[in-house]
PDB file of all heavy atoms in Angstrom:
ATOM      1  N   ILE K1687     -10.399   0.993  -7.528  1.00 97.00           N
ATOM      2  CA  ILE K1687     -11.458   1.063  -8.540  1.00 97.00           C
ATOM      3  C   ILE K1687     -12.340   2.264  -8.242  1.00 97.00           C
ATOM      4  O   ILE K1687     -12.872   2.390  -7.131  1.00 97.00           O
ATOM      5  CB  ILE K1687     -12.326  -0.210  -8.544  1.00 97.00           C
ATOM      6  CG1 ILE K1687     -11.458  -1.475  -8.684  1.00 97.00           C
ATOM      7  CG2 ILE K1687     -13.362  -0.154  -9.663  1.00 97.00           C
ATOM      8  CD1 ILE K1687     -12.229  -2.758  -8.426  1.00 97.00           C
ATOM      9  N   PHE K1688     -12.496   3.131  -9.222  1.00 98.00           N
ATOM     10  CA  PHE K1688     -13.419   4.259  -9.125  1.00 98.00           C
ATOM     11  C   PHE K1688     -14.740   3.843  -9.763  1.00 98.00           C
ATOM     12  O   PHE K1688     -14.767   3.406 -10.915  1.00 98.00           O
ATOM     13  CB  PHE K1688     -12.837   5.478  -9.834  1.00 98.00           C
ATOM     14  CG  PHE K1688     -13.816   6.620  -9.972  1.00 98.00           C
ATOM     15  CD1 PHE K1688     -14.255   7.311  -8.856  1.00 98.00           C
ATOM     16  CD2 PHE K1688     -14.283   7.001 -11.219  1.00 98.00           C
ATOM     17  CE1 PHE K1688     -15.151   8.357  -8.975  1.00 98.00           C
ATOM     18  CE2 PHE K1688     -15.182   8.039 -11.353  1.00 98.00           C
ATOM     19  CZ  PHE K1688     -15.617   8.728 -10.228  1.00 98.00           C
ATOM     20  N   VAL K1689     -15.837   3.971  -9.024  1.00 98.00           N
ATOM     21  CA  VAL K1689     -17.155   3.557  -9.506  1.00 98.00           C
ATOM     22  C   VAL K1689     -18.023   4.804  -9.662  1.00 98.00           C
ATOM     23  O   VAL K1689     -18.287   5.513  -8.695  1.00 98.00           O
ATOM     24  CB  VAL K1689     -17.826   2.560  -8.545  1.00 98.00           C
ATOM     25  CG1 VAL K1689     -19.161   2.087  -9.123  1.00 98.00           C
ATOM     26  CG2 VAL K1689     -16.906   1.363  -8.299  1.00 98.00           C
ATOM     27  N   ASP K1690     -18.453   5.065 -10.897  1.00 98.00           N
ATOM     28  CA  ASP K1690     -19.290   6.227 -11.198  1.00 98.00           C
ATOM     29  C   ASP K1690     -20.745   5.789 -11.306  1.00 98.00           C
ATOM     30  O   ASP K1690     -21.128   5.082 -12.238  1.00 98.00           O
ATOM     31  CB  ASP K1690     -18.820   6.876 -12.510  1.00 98.00           C
ATOM     32  CG  ASP K1690     -19.677   8.071 -12.906  1.00 98.00           C
ATOM     33  OD1 ASP K1690     -20.490   8.528 -12.079  1.00 98.00           O
ATOM     34  OD2 ASP K1690     -19.513   8.556 -14.047  1.00 98.00           O
ATOM     35  N   TYR K1701     -12.499  10.462 -16.041  1.00 98.00           N
ATOM     36  CA  TYR K1701     -12.071   9.066 -16.186  1.00 98.00           C
ATOM     37  C   TYR K1701     -10.603   8.966 -16.604  1.00 98.00           C
ATOM     38  O   TYR K1701      -9.854   8.120 -16.112  1.00 98.00           O
ATOM     39  CB  TYR K1701     -12.929   8.332 -17.222  1.00 98.00           C
ATOM     40  CG  TYR K1701     -14.365   8.084 -16.838  1.00 98.00           C
ATOM     41  CD1 TYR K1701     -15.229   7.447 -17.731  1.00 98.00           C
ATOM     42  CD2 TYR K1701     -14.876   8.454 -15.593  1.00 98.00           C
ATOM     43  CE1 TYR K1701     -16.559   7.207 -17.408  1.00 98.00           C
ATOM     44  CE2 TYR K1701     -16.202   8.223 -15.268  1.00 98.00           C
ATOM     45  CZ  TYR K1701     -17.043   7.603 -16.184  1.00 98.00           C
ATOM     46  OH  TYR K1701     -18.350   7.359 -15.864  1.00 98.00           O
ATOM     47  N   LEU K1705      -7.599   6.703 -14.905  1.00 96.00           N
ATOM     48  CA  LEU K1705      -6.905   5.647 -15.646  1.00 96.00           C
ATOM     49  C   LEU K1705      -5.409   5.892 -15.700  1.00 96.00           C
ATOM     50  O   LEU K1705      -4.612   4.947 -15.616  1.00 96.00           O
ATOM     51  CB  LEU K1705      -7.479   5.537 -17.059  1.00 96.00           C
ATOM     52  CG  LEU K1705      -8.946   5.075 -17.143  1.00 96.00           C
ATOM     53  CD1 LEU K1705      -9.461   5.199 -18.573  1.00 96.00           C
ATOM     54  CD2 LEU K1705      -9.100   3.639 -16.645  1.00 96.00           C
ATOM     55  N   GLY K1710      -8.724   1.645 -11.797  1.00 96.00           N
ATOM     56  CA  GLY K1710      -9.765   1.126 -12.660  1.00 96.00           C
ATOM     57  C   GLY K1710     -11.033   1.969 -12.589  1.00 96.00           C
ATOM     58  O   GLY K1710     -11.298   2.627 -11.575  1.00 96.00           O
ATOM     59  N   VAL K1711     -11.805   1.964 -13.663  1.00 98.00           N
ATOM     60  CA  VAL K1711     -13.060   2.718 -13.716  1.00 98.00           C
ATOM     61  C   VAL K1711     -14.196   1.766 -14.060  1.00 98.00           C
ATOM     62  O   VAL K1711     -14.124   1.025 -15.045  1.00 98.00           O
ATOM     63  CB  VAL K1711     -12.993   3.860 -14.756  1.00 98.00           C
ATOM     64  CG1 VAL K1711     -14.361   4.538 -14.891  1.00 98.00           C
ATOM     65  CG2 VAL K1711     -11.923   4.882 -14.378  1.00 98.00           C
ATOM     66  N   VAL K1712     -15.232   1.775 -13.223  1.00 98.00           N
ATOM     67  CA  VAL K1712     -16.462   1.037 -13.476  1.00 98.00           C
ATOM     68  C   VAL K1712     -17.583   2.063 -13.508  1.00 98.00           C
ATOM     69  O   VAL K1712     -17.732   2.850 -12.575  1.00 98.00           O
ATOM     70  CB  VAL K1712     -16.720  -0.024 -12.382  1.00 98.00           C
ATOM     71  CG1 VAL K1712     -18.121  -0.595 -12.502  1.00 98.00           C
ATOM     72  CG2 VAL K1712     -15.685  -1.131 -12.463  1.00 98.00           C
ATOM     73  N   ALA K1713     -18.378   2.080 -14.604  1.00 97.00           N
ATOM     74  CA  ALA K1713     -19.343   3.160 -14.762  1.00 97.00           C
ATOM     75  C   ALA K1713     -20.679   2.665 -15.291  1.00 97.00           C
ATOM     76  O   ALA K1713     -20.733   1.812 -16.174  1.00 97.00           O
ATOM     77  CB  ALA K1713     -18.781   4.221 -15.710  1.00 97.00           C
ATOM     78  N   CYS K1714     -21.750   3.228 -14.726  1.00 94.00           N
ATOM     79  CA  CYS K1714     -23.059   3.075 -15.368  1.00 94.00           C
ATOM     80  C   CYS K1714     -23.391   4.366 -16.128  1.00 94.00           C
ATOM     81  O   CYS K1714     -24.360   4.415 -16.883  1.00 94.00           O
ATOM     82  CB  CYS K1714     -24.142   2.739 -14.359  1.00 94.00           C
ATOM     83  SG  CYS K1714     -24.483   4.012 -13.146  1.00 94.00           S
ATOM     84  N   ASN K1715     -22.574   5.396 -15.935  1.00 94.00           N
ATOM     85  CA  ASN K1715     -22.701   6.675 -16.642  1.00 94.00           C
ATOM     86  C   ASN K1715     -22.333   6.458 -18.120  1.00 94.00           C
ATOM     87  O   ASN K1715     -21.208   6.074 -18.437  1.00 94.00           O
ATOM     88  CB  ASN K1715     -21.765   7.689 -15.988  1.00 94.00           C
ATOM     89  CG  ASN K1715     -21.911   9.084 -16.530  1.00 94.00           C
ATOM     90  OD1 ASN K1715     -22.463   9.298 -17.607  1.00 94.00           O
ATOM     91  ND2 ASN K1715     -21.382  10.051 -15.791  1.00 94.00           N
ATOM     92  N   CYS K1719     -18.575   6.882 -22.745  1.00 96.00           N
ATOM     93  CA  CYS K1719     -18.475   5.927 -23.856  1.00 96.00           C
ATOM     94  C   CYS K1719     -19.280   6.361 -25.078  1.00 96.00           C
ATOM     95  O   CYS K1719     -19.101   5.799 -26.159  1.00 96.00           O
ATOM     96  CB  CYS K1719     -18.917   4.549 -23.404  1.00 96.00           C
ATOM     97  SG  CYS K1719     -17.718   3.764 -22.302  1.00 96.00           S
ATOM     98  N   LYS K1730      -9.928   4.006 -23.965  1.00 96.00           N
ATOM     99  CA  LYS K1730      -9.554   2.621 -24.244  1.00 96.00           C
ATOM    100  C   LYS K1730      -8.031   2.448 -24.235  1.00 96.00           C
ATOM    101  O   LYS K1730      -7.494   1.481 -23.687  1.00 96.00           O
ATOM    102  CB  LYS K1730     -10.123   2.189 -25.597  1.00 96.00           C
ATOM    103  CG  LYS K1730     -11.630   1.980 -25.614  1.00 96.00           C
ATOM    104  CD  LYS K1730     -11.970   0.657 -24.952  1.00 96.00           C
ATOM    105  CE  LYS K1730     -13.409   0.271 -25.179  1.00 96.00           C
ATOM    106  NZ  LYS K1730     -13.721  -1.072 -24.696  1.00 96.00           N
ATOM    107  N   SER K1733      -6.635   2.713 -20.689  1.00 95.00           N
ATOM    108  CA  SER K1733      -6.919   1.485 -19.943  1.00 95.00           C
ATOM    109  C   SER K1733      -5.861   0.427 -20.222  1.00 95.00           C
ATOM    110  O   SER K1733      -5.375  -0.244 -19.302  1.00 95.00           O
ATOM    111  CB  SER K1733      -8.310   0.968 -20.319  1.00 95.00           C
ATOM    112  OG  SER K1733      -8.563  -0.279 -19.711  1.00 95.00           O
ATOM    113  N   ALA K1738      -5.313  -0.478 -16.368  1.00 93.00           N
ATOM    114  CA  ALA K1738      -6.427  -0.094 -15.501  1.00 93.00           C
ATOM    115  C   ALA K1738      -7.733  -0.514 -16.172  1.00 93.00           C
ATOM    116  O   ALA K1738      -8.072   0.008 -17.236  1.00 93.00           O
ATOM    117  CB  ALA K1738      -6.413   1.408 -15.261  1.00 93.00           C
ATOM    118  N   PRO K1739      -8.474  -1.439 -15.593  1.00 95.00           N
ATOM    119  CA  PRO K1739      -9.732  -1.873 -16.216  1.00 95.00           C
ATOM    120  C   PRO K1739     -10.700  -0.703 -16.411  1.00 95.00           C
ATOM    121  O   PRO K1739     -10.811   0.174 -15.549  1.00 95.00           O
ATOM    122  CB  PRO K1739     -10.290  -2.883 -15.204  1.00 95.00           C
ATOM    123  CG  PRO K1739      -9.112  -3.313 -14.397  1.00 95.00           C
ATOM    124  CD  PRO K1739      -8.199  -2.139 -14.336  1.00 95.00           C
ATOM    125  N   PHE K1740     -11.374  -0.697 -17.551  1.00 97.00           N
ATOM    126  CA  PHE K1740     -12.421   0.287 -17.844  1.00 97.00           C
ATOM    127  C   PHE K1740     -13.652  -0.507 -18.265  1.00 97.00           C
ATOM    128  O   PHE K1740     -13.736  -0.993 -19.383  1.00 97.00           O
ATOM    129  CB  PHE K1740     -11.957   1.251 -18.939  1.00 97.00           C
ATOM    130  CG  PHE K1740     -12.995   2.258 -19.359  1.00 97.00           C
ATOM    131  CD1 PHE K1740     -13.869   2.811 -18.438  1.00 97.00           C
ATOM    132  CD2 PHE K1740     -13.095   2.662 -20.686  1.00 97.00           C
ATOM    133  CE1 PHE K1740     -14.829   3.736 -18.821  1.00 97.00           C
ATOM    134  CE2 PHE K1740     -14.045   3.592 -21.087  1.00 97.00           C
ATOM    135  CZ  PHE K1740     -14.914   4.127 -20.148  1.00 97.00           C
ATOM    136  N   LEU K1741     -14.588  -0.670 -17.324  1.00 97.00           N
ATOM    137  CA  LEU K1741     -15.743  -1.532 -17.540  1.00 97.00           C
ATOM    138  C   LEU K1741     -17.030  -0.728 -17.400  1.00 97.00           C
ATOM    139  O   LEU K1741     -17.165   0.090 -16.490  1.00 97.00           O
ATOM    140  CB  LEU K1741     -15.743  -2.687 -16.537  1.00 97.00           C
ATOM    141  CG  LEU K1741     -14.498  -3.601 -16.572  1.00 97.00           C
ATOM    142  CD1 LEU K1741     -14.588  -4.648 -15.478  1.00 97.00           C
ATOM    143  CD2 LEU K1741     -14.339  -4.259 -17.924  1.00 97.00           C
ATOM    144  N   PHE K1742     -17.982  -1.002 -18.317  1.00 97.00           N
ATOM    145  CA  PHE K1742     -19.205  -0.207 -18.352  1.00 97.00           C
ATOM    146  C   PHE K1742     -20.382  -1.069 -18.821  1.00 97.00           C
ATOM    147  O   PHE K1742     -21.196  -0.642 -19.627  1.00 97.00           O
ATOM    148  CB  PHE K1742     -19.027   1.012 -19.265  1.00 97.00           C
ATOM    149  CG  PHE K1742     -18.270   0.723 -20.538  1.00 97.00           C
ATOM    150  CD1 PHE K1742     -18.940   0.327 -21.694  1.00 97.00           C
ATOM    151  CD2 PHE K1742     -16.891   0.823 -20.578  1.00 97.00           C
ATOM    152  CE1 PHE K1742     -18.255   0.047 -22.857  1.00 97.00           C
ATOM    153  CE2 PHE K1742     -16.188   0.537 -21.747  1.00 97.00           C
ATOM    154  CZ  PHE K1742     -16.878   0.154 -22.900  1.00 97.00           C
ATOM    155  N   GLU K1743     -20.450  -2.278 -18.310  1.00 95.00           N
ATOM    156  CA  GLU K1743     -21.520  -3.195 -18.697  1.00 95.00           C
ATOM    157  C   GLU K1743     -22.901  -2.575 -18.524  1.00 95.00           C
ATOM    158  O   GLU K1743     -23.804  -2.765 -19.347  1.00 95.00           O
ATOM    159  CB  GLU K1743     -21.419  -4.487 -17.866  1.00 95.00           C
ATOM    160  CG  GLU K1743     -22.446  -5.550 -18.212  1.00 95.00           C
ATOM    161  CD  GLU K1743     -22.261  -6.116 -19.607  1.00 95.00           C
ATOM    162  OE1 GLU K1743     -21.318  -6.891 -19.811  1.00 95.00           O
ATOM    163  OE2 GLU K1743     -23.060  -5.739 -20.493  1.00 95.00           O
ATOM    164  N   THR K1744     -23.105  -1.813 -17.465  1.00 95.00           N
ATOM    165  CA  THR K1744     -24.427  -1.262 -17.169  1.00 95.00           C
ATOM    166  C   THR K1744     -24.794  -0.099 -18.088  1.00 95.00           C
ATOM    167  O   THR K1744     -25.909   0.426 -17.981  1.00 95.00           O
ATOM    168  CB  THR K1744     -24.510  -0.797 -15.706  1.00 95.00           C
ATOM    169  OG1 THR K1744     -23.363   0.013 -15.416  1.00 95.00           O
ATOM    170  CG2 THR K1744     -24.540  -1.980 -14.763  1.00 95.00           C
ATOM    171  N   ASN K1745     -23.888   0.318 -18.990  1.00 94.00           N
ATOM    172  CA  ASN K1745     -24.253   1.342 -19.971  1.00 94.00           C
ATOM    173  C   ASN K1745     -25.377   0.868 -20.877  1.00 94.00           C
ATOM    174  O   ASN K1745     -26.159   1.666 -21.397  1.00 94.00           O
ATOM    175  CB  ASN K1745     -23.040   1.710 -20.837  1.00 94.00           C
ATOM    176  CG  ASN K1745     -22.116   2.704 -20.191  1.00 94.00           C
ATOM    177  OD1 ASN K1745     -21.288   3.302 -20.839  1.00 94.00           O
ATOM    178  ND2 ASN K1745     -22.235   2.899 -18.883  1.00 94.00           N
ATOM    179  N   ILE K1753     -22.813  -6.147 -23.159  1.00 96.00           N
ATOM    180  CA  ILE K1753     -21.488  -5.768 -23.651  1.00 96.00           C
ATOM    181  C   ILE K1753     -20.506  -6.916 -23.484  1.00 96.00           C
ATOM    182  O   ILE K1753     -19.672  -7.172 -24.370  1.00 96.00           O
ATOM    183  CB  ILE K1753     -21.002  -4.498 -22.926  1.00 96.00           C
ATOM    184  CG1 ILE K1753     -21.905  -3.312 -23.308  1.00 96.00           C
ATOM    185  CG2 ILE K1753     -19.547  -4.194 -23.264  1.00 96.00           C
ATOM    186  CD1 ILE K1753     -21.584  -2.036 -22.566  1.00 96.00           C
ATOM    187  N   ASP K1754     -20.591  -7.625 -22.378  1.00 94.00           N
ATOM    188  CA  ASP K1754     -19.690  -8.752 -22.150  1.00 94.00           C
ATOM    189  C   ASP K1754     -19.874  -9.819 -23.235  1.00 94.00           C
ATOM    190  O   ASP K1754     -18.895 -10.356 -23.771  1.00 94.00           O
ATOM    191  CB  ASP K1754     -19.967  -9.352 -20.769  1.00 94.00           C
ATOM    192  CG  ASP K1754     -18.957 -10.414 -20.380  1.00 94.00           C
ATOM    193  OD1 ASP K1754     -17.748 -10.133 -20.457  1.00 94.00           O
ATOM    194  OD2 ASP K1754     -19.370 -11.523 -20.015  1.00 94.00           O
ATOM    195  N   ASN K1757     -18.414  -8.470 -26.519  1.00 95.00           N
ATOM    196  CA  ASN K1757     -16.941  -8.513 -26.489  1.00 95.00           C
ATOM    197  C   ASN K1757     -16.427  -9.931 -26.680  1.00 95.00           C
ATOM    198  O   ASN K1757     -15.407 -10.148 -27.354  1.00 95.00           O
ATOM    199  CB  ASN K1757     -16.418  -7.940 -25.172  1.00 95.00           C
ATOM    200  CG  ASN K1757     -16.584  -6.442 -25.076  1.00 95.00           C
ATOM    201  OD1 ASN K1757     -16.670  -5.754 -26.097  1.00 95.00           O
ATOM    202  ND2 ASN K1757     -16.626  -5.903 -23.869  1.00 95.00           N
ATOM    203  N   GLU K1826     -18.255  -0.938 -29.695  1.00 96.00           N
ATOM    204  CA  GLU K1826     -17.669  -2.156 -29.139  1.00 96.00           C
ATOM    205  C   GLU K1826     -17.577  -3.261 -30.182  1.00 96.00           C
ATOM    206  O   GLU K1826     -16.760  -4.175 -30.046  1.00 96.00           O
ATOM    207  CB  GLU K1826     -18.479  -2.631 -27.934  1.00 96.00           C
ATOM    208  CG  GLU K1826     -18.364  -1.745 -26.708  1.00 96.00           C
ATOM    209  CD  GLU K1826     -16.955  -1.714 -26.143  1.00 96.00           C
ATOM    210  OE1 GLU K1826     -16.476  -2.754 -25.657  1.00 96.00           O
ATOM    211  OE2 GLU K1826     -16.321  -0.637 -26.189  1.00 96.00           O
ATOM    212  N   GLY K1941     -25.282  -5.053 -11.857  1.00 94.00           N
ATOM    213  CA  GLY K1941     -24.388  -4.972 -13.010  1.00 94.00           C
ATOM    214  C   GLY K1941     -23.074  -4.297 -12.665  1.00 94.00           C
ATOM    215  O   GLY K1941     -21.997  -4.736 -13.092  1.00 94.00           O
ATOM    216  N   LEU K1942     -23.143  -3.223 -11.885  1.00 96.00           N
ATOM    217  CA  LEU K1942     -21.923  -2.563 -11.416  1.00 96.00           C
ATOM    218  C   LEU K1942     -21.108  -3.510 -10.536  1.00 96.00           C
ATOM    219  O   LEU K1942     -19.876  -3.597 -10.657  1.00 96.00           O
ATOM    220  CB  LEU K1942     -22.280  -1.300 -10.623  1.00 96.00           C
ATOM    221  CG  LEU K1942     -22.835  -0.126 -11.421  1.00 96.00           C
ATOM    222  CD1 LEU K1942     -23.467   0.901 -10.489  1.00 96.00           C
ATOM    223  CD2 LEU K1942     -21.740   0.532 -12.267  1.00 96.00           C
ATOM    224  N   PHE K1943     -21.806  -4.215  -9.665  1.00 97.00           N
ATOM    225  CA  PHE K1943     -21.143  -5.170  -8.766  1.00 97.00           C
ATOM    226  C   PHE K1943     -20.424  -6.244  -9.581  1.00 97.00           C
ATOM    227  O   PHE K1943     -19.289  -6.627  -9.274  1.00 97.00           O
ATOM    228  CB  PHE K1943     -22.191  -5.793  -7.851  1.00 97.00           C
ATOM    229  CG  PHE K1943     -21.650  -6.412  -6.592  1.00 97.00           C
ATOM    230  CD1 PHE K1943     -22.514  -6.928  -5.642  1.00 97.00           C
ATOM    231  CD2 PHE K1943     -20.289  -6.492  -6.342  1.00 97.00           C
ATOM    232  CE1 PHE K1943     -22.039  -7.506  -4.481  1.00 97.00           C
ATOM    233  CE2 PHE K1943     -19.798  -7.064  -5.183  1.00 97.00           C
ATOM    234  CZ  PHE K1943     -20.677  -7.575  -4.255  1.00 97.00           C
ATOM    235  N   ALA K1944     -21.077  -6.717 -10.624  1.00 95.00           N
ATOM    236  CA  ALA K1944     -20.460  -7.748 -11.469  1.00 95.00           C
ATOM    237  C   ALA K1944     -19.183  -7.238 -12.121  1.00 95.00           C
ATOM    238  O   ALA K1944     -18.195  -7.975 -12.239  1.00 95.00           O
ATOM    239  CB  ALA K1944     -21.457  -8.205 -12.535  1.00 95.00           C
ATOM    240  N   ASP K1945     -19.184  -5.977 -12.562  1.00 96.00           N
ATOM    241  CA  ASP K1945     -17.973  -5.401 -13.155  1.00 96.00           C
ATOM    242  C   ASP K1945     -16.852  -5.308 -12.117  1.00 96.00           C
ATOM    243  O   ASP K1945     -15.670  -5.547 -12.430  1.00 96.00           O
ATOM    244  CB  ASP K1945     -18.276  -4.014 -13.728  1.00 96.00           C
ATOM    245  CG  ASP K1945     -18.762  -4.082 -15.169  1.00 96.00           C
ATOM    246  OD1 ASP K1945     -18.681  -5.167 -15.776  1.00 96.00           O
ATOM    247  OD2 ASP K1945     -19.229  -3.046 -15.691  1.00 96.00           O
ATOM    248  N   ILE K1946     -17.195  -4.938 -10.893  1.00 96.00           N
ATOM    249  CA  ILE K1946     -16.184  -4.872  -9.828  1.00 96.00           C
ATOM    250  C   ILE K1946     -15.575  -6.251  -9.605  1.00 96.00           C
ATOM    251  O   ILE K1946     -14.354  -6.402  -9.471  1.00 96.00           O
ATOM    252  CB  ILE K1946     -16.814  -4.327  -8.528  1.00 96.00           C
ATOM    253  CG1 ILE K1946     -17.222  -2.861  -8.705  1.00 96.00           C
ATOM    254  CG2 ILE K1946     -15.837  -4.459  -7.358  1.00 96.00           C
ATOM    255  CD1 ILE K1946     -18.065  -2.313  -7.564  1.00 96.00           C
ATOM    256  N   ILE K1947     -16.421  -7.273  -9.590  1.00 95.00           N
ATOM    257  CA  ILE K1947     -15.920  -8.642  -9.392  1.00 95.00           C
ATOM    258  C   ILE K1947     -15.049  -9.065 -10.575  1.00 95.00           C
ATOM    259  O   ILE K1947     -14.049  -9.771 -10.407  1.00 95.00           O
ATOM    260  CB  ILE K1947     -17.100  -9.611  -9.187  1.00 95.00           C
ATOM    261  CG1 ILE K1947     -17.813  -9.290  -7.868  1.00 95.00           C
ATOM    262  CG2 ILE K1947     -16.629 -11.057  -9.187  1.00 95.00           C
ATOM    263  CD1 ILE K1947     -19.119 -10.011  -7.676  1.00 95.00           C
ATOM    264  N   ARG K1948     -15.403  -8.624 -11.796  1.00 94.00           N
ATOM    265  CA  ARG K1948     -14.565  -8.932 -12.965  1.00 94.00           C
ATOM    266  C   ARG K1948     -13.151  -8.396 -12.765  1.00 94.00           C
ATOM    267  O   ARG K1948     -12.172  -9.045 -13.123  1.00 94.00           O
ATOM    268  CB  ARG K1948     -15.175  -8.327 -14.236  1.00 94.00           C
ATOM    269  CG  ARG K1948     -16.333  -9.112 -14.810  1.00 94.00           C
ATOM    270  CD  ARG K1948     -16.722  -8.588 -16.185  1.00 94.00           C
ATOM    271  NE  ARG K1948     -17.945  -9.226 -16.665  1.00 94.00           N
ATOM    272  CZ  ARG K1948     -19.162  -8.731 -16.508  1.00 94.00           C
ATOM    273  NH1 ARG K1948     -19.326  -7.567 -15.904  1.00 94.00           N
ATOM    274  NH2 ARG K1948     -20.211  -9.383 -16.956  1.00 94.00           N
ATOM    275  N   VAL K1949     -13.062  -7.195 -12.211  1.00 92.00           N
ATOM    276  CA  VAL K1949     -11.740  -6.627 -11.941  1.00 92.00           C
ATOM    277  C   VAL K1949     -10.988  -7.528 -10.971  1.00 92.00           C
ATOM    278  O   VAL K1949      -9.802  -7.825 -11.153  1.00 92.00           O
ATOM    279  CB  VAL K1949     -11.861  -5.205 -11.362  1.00 92.00           C
ATOM    280  CG1 VAL K1949     -10.479  -4.673 -10.972  1.00 92.00           C
ATOM    281  CG2 VAL K1949     -12.516  -4.268 -12.377  1.00 92.00           C
ATOM    282  N   GLY K1950     -11.681  -7.992  -9.934  1.00 88.00           N
ATOM    283  CA  GLY K1950     -11.034  -8.851  -8.944  1.00 88.00           C
ATOM    284  C   GLY K1950     -10.593 -10.183  -9.507  1.00 88.00           C
ATOM    285  O   GLY K1950      -9.602 -10.757  -9.068  1.00 88.00           O
ATOM    286  N   ASN K1952      -9.537 -10.723 -12.559  1.00 80.00           N
ATOM    287  CA  ASN K1952      -8.501 -10.576 -13.588  1.00 80.00           C
ATOM    288  C   ASN K1952      -7.128 -10.437 -12.951  1.00 80.00           C
ATOM    289  O   ASN K1952      -6.999  -9.945 -11.846  1.00 80.00           O
ATOM    290  CB  ASN K1952      -8.784  -9.348 -14.449  1.00 80.00           C
ATOM    291  CG  ASN K1952      -9.990  -9.567 -15.353  1.00 80.00           C
ATOM    292  OD1 ASN K1952     -10.330 -10.698 -15.686  1.00 80.00           O
ATOM    293  ND2 ASN K1952     -10.651  -8.485 -15.728  1.00 80.00           N
TER     294      ASN K1952
END
Side-chain angles (χ1 to χ4, degrees):
I1687 307 169
F1688 171 68
V1689 183
D1690 178 11
Y1701 291 179
L1705 295 172
V1711 174
V1712 169
C1714 65
N1715 186 342
C1719 288
K1730 288 283 191 173
S1733 175
F1740 177 36
L1741 301 177
F1742 41 90
E1743 182 66 74
T1744 49
N1745 278 196
I1753 294 175
D1754 187 52
N1757 288 336
E1826 290 296 294
L1942 289 166
F1943 200 176
D1945 272 350
I1946 293 170
I1947 294 170
R1948 282 190 187 94
V1949 175
N1952 289 335

